Amino acid sequence: MTNQLDSFFSALADPTRRAVVEQLIQGPAAVSALHDGHDMALPTFLRHLKVLEDSGLVTSTKKGRVRTVEMQPEALRAGADWFEAHKSMWEGRMDRLARLADQLERTRT
């Protein structure tokens, strides 16, 4: 699980890769269409796609000369689960802190 999370967060740590994920949320797209919105050489862009693919966030298929990239929504589940677990923990801590602050306030008055 740790390697999967590391790969997930590492892939999303880069703004170019996050932008590609945002584009792919709309649906599958050809590499050329994805590349059009980015001011970088194609080989550099392809390395970004490789990181996303290696992390499991996207897959690609090739038909003829066109390579199409598609989002893998189930890959987002690991990150969502991690955030949810930590969100619950922090909400619990904040609730306890609020109760303590209320108690301290009541003892001062």
Side-chain angles (χ1 to χ4, degrees):
M1 179 71 155
T2 300
N3 288 340
Q4 184 181 9
L5 280 173
D6 290 349
S7 179
F8 172 85
F9 285 119
S10 179
L12 294 178
D14 183 88
T16 298
R17 294 190 290 265
R18 286 193 306 271
V20 169
V21 168
E22 288 290 329
Q23 287 175 271
L24 291 173
I25 287 173
Q26 305 302 315
V31 169
S32 59
L34 292 170
H35 177 247
D36 283 345
H38 301 278
D39 187 25
M40 64 181 64
L42 182 60
T44 302
F45 185 75
L46 291 174
R47 284 194 293 274
H48 284 290
L49 290 181
K50 173 124 175 63
V51 170
L52 288 170
E53 204 161 356
D54 289 348
S55 74
L57 286 166
V58 303
T59 57
S60 67
T61 55
K62 188 171 182 178
K63 277 191 180 175
R65 295 179 54 177
V66 177
R67 180 166 294 281
T68 302
V69 182
E70 184 174 5
M71 189 71 203
Q72 296 300 305
E74 64 276 0
L76 296 173
R77 187 170 300 122
D81 290 347
W82 186 87
F83 279 116
E84 189 58 38
H86 285 80
K87 177 184 170 200
S88 298
M89 177 195 64
W90 281 107
E91 284 176 343
R93 288 181 178 183
M94 295 305 290
D95 290 345
R96 288 191 299 279
L97 181 60
R99 286 193 302 271
L100 177 60
D102 287 344
Q103 287 175 343
L104 290 173
E105 186 66 32
R106 279 184 265 144
T107 59
R108 283 191 214 175
T109 57

